Amino acid sequence: MRKVLFCLLLLSATFAVKAQYRDVKLPDSSKHTNYKDYSSTDKGFWCAVDLEGGSSVMVNSTNMQYTNVAFTGGYRFSEFLRVGVGLGVRYYVNNGEVRDTDNDFGIPLFANIRGNFISAYDRDGVPFWSLNVGGITNDGFFASPTVGYSFGGRRNNFQIGLSYTIVSFRKYTGTDVAYSYLGMKLGYEF
């Protein structure tokens, strides 16, 4: 009986050692021919979420501050050109002394165009540019160019930027004016 157990143990040990040195061949191509790795592509759908805050900088006039949250989505033609549309919510601070409305909120609806100044192919961070043009409810036309730094990769990036925004609206005096703001944007693009 001991000899039989010893033979079985020796035989299983031999198979175990032989199984360790098996040559396994992997398939040459994927079974999924329609698979696309979007994290490394230059074209396709993209989205961004931005948080912005800013203030007008006037010496002899009442300054007004704002905060803004915006969602933008569109098509990415390359890392140098992305086009989209956006929607946001803007809250005005010190609103009552400047604008001709008691409503502190506005809803920006805008077109966006953006891109990188240099390629992000071999870099973790690159400078970028962006331009929002559209309108804000309870105000009027606005334009906001931004320059900043994007870091994190080719498609999924955190962004920090400085923006200059010009907004037209009606003052309490009844005149139409354009207000300029300097702002800081923090965002995530994917």
Side-chain angles (χ1 to χ4, degrees):
M1 180 76 165
R2 284 184 171 179
K3 286 184 181 182
V4 172
L5 283 174
F6 179 73
C7 287
L8 286 174
L9 183 63
L10 185 63
L11 188 60
S12 63
T14 305
F15 282 121
V17 169
K18 192 172 183 178
Q20 287 180 348
Y21 297 105
R22 242 185 1 204
D23 187 24
V24 177
K25 182 169 168 102
L26 297 174
D28 292 332
S29 64
S30 172
K31 292 180 182 179
H32 306 286
T33 57
N34 293 333
Y35 174 76
K36 192 169 192 176
D37 183 12
Y38 288 101
S39 65
S40 66
T41 59
D42 285 333
K43 295 181 180 181
F45 185 72
W46 67 274
C47 293
V49 177
D50 295 316
L51 175 64
E52 181 180 6
S55 176
S56 60
V57 185
M58 298 185 163
V59 178
N60 296 325
S61 203
T62 303
N63 287 308
M64 185 169 57
Q65 296 76 33
Y66 72 94
T67 60
N68 192 56
V69 175
F71 175 79
T72 309
Y75 189 79
R76 177 183 171 114
F77 293 97
S78 72
E79 65 180 308
F80 303 106
L81 180 63
R82 296 181 287 285
V83 177
V85 294
L87 180 67
V89 175
R90 178 169 286 199
Y91 175 73
Y92 290 101
V93 181
N94 201 11
N95 174 54
E97 299 176 23
V98 180
R99 293 170 65 227
D100 189 16
T101 180
D102 291 331
N103 189 355
D104 294 339
F105 290 94
I107 298 175
L109 180 61
F110 55 91
N112 175 266
I113 183 169
R114 64 175 69 189
N116 295 341
F117 283 113
I118 59 176
S119 177
Y121 186 73
D122 292 330
R123 297 172 181 87
D124 288 335
V126 294
F128 77 95
W129 59 272
S130 177
L131 175 64
N132 292 343
V133 176
I136 302 175
T137 60
N138 300 322
D139 287 341
F141 172 80
F142 87 99
S144 180
T146 302
V147 292
Y149 192 73
S150 175
F151 53 95
R154 291 178 65 188
R155 291 283 290 201
N156 299 321
N157 303 304
F158 287 100
Q159 297 179 333
I160 184 167
L162 294 173
S163 66
Y164 171 78
T165 304
I166 187 163
V167 178
S168 67
F169 60 87
R170 185 164 294 234
K171 287 186 77 158
Y172 272 122
T173 60
T175 58
D176 291 334
V177 297
Y179 240 61
S180 299
Y181 302 94
L182 291 176
M184 169 85 65
K185 279 188 181 181
L186 299 173
Y188 183 73
E189 182 179 283
F190 53 98

